Amino acid sequence: MLENESFTIPKASEEEMLEYEIRNDSVQAFILDDSPIENQTTRAVYSSYCEFCLREGMQPISNIELSRQIKRKLNLDISRRTIQGEKVKLYTKNNIN
């Protein structure tokens, strides 16, 4: 403690804390499940997310909040495109570094 001027957190505690955060953060758990997000429509991602939550016994958040968190956690934007005559919103890479 004197050398670092702070407490040293044991690795086991860090791992347990990470696991706790994942269990209580349905969006982070969904992302870590390697669910496809980039270049997918917001509607398709929300549907997959809700299915994931149901399967894992988690409470899904709203579509709007899911979009906010995905944009923040994965540094993605939402782009409006027309695909086969239908206007859709896609998660795309954020070009701002």
Side-chain angles (χ1 to χ4, degrees), residues 7-16:
F7 291 102
T8 302
I9 300 172
K11 185 172 175 123
S13 294
E14 288 178 353
E15 291 171 356
E16 189 66 31

Side-chain angles (χ1 to χ4, degrees), residues 6 11 13 15 31 43 46 54 85:
S6 65
K11 185 172 175 123
S13 294
E15 291 171 356
I31 291 168
R43 181 178 294 170
Y46 188 68
L54 181 65

Side-chain angles (χ1 to χ4, degrees), residues 1-8:
M1 182 170 144
L2 293 177
E3 291 176 20
N4 297 341
E5 296 183 16
S6 65
F7 291 102
T8 302

Side-chain angles (χ1 to χ4, degrees), residues 15 24 35 38 43 66 73 78 86 96:
E15 291 171 356
N24 290 290
S35 300
E38 189 175 334
R43 181 178 294 170
L66 177 66
K73 291 178 183 205
I78 294 177
E86 181 183 353
I96 299 173

Side-chain angles (χ1 to χ4, degrees), residues 16-26 28-29 58:
E16 189 66 31
M17 184 62 155
L18 178 61
E19 196 168 312
Y20 171 81
E21 288 173 2
I22 291 169
R23 281 193 311 264
N24 290 290
D25 183 347
S26 61
Q28 189 66 33
M58 299 174 129

Side-chain angles (χ1 to χ4, degrees), residues 22-62:
I22 291 169
R23 281 193 311 264
N24 290 290
D25 183 347
S26 61
V27 178
Q28 189 66 33
F30 178 68
I31 291 168
L32 292 175
D33 192 51
D34 288 330
S35 300
I37 296 173
E38 189 175 334
N39 297 318
Q40 301 296 314
T41 66
T42 57
R43 181 178 294 170
V45 171
Y46 188 68
S47 178
S48 295
Y49 165 74
C50 288
E51 290 174 13
F52 170 83
C53 287
L54 181 65
R55 185 175 67 243
E56 297 298 320
M58 299 174 129
Q59 184 68 37
I61 58 176
S62 72

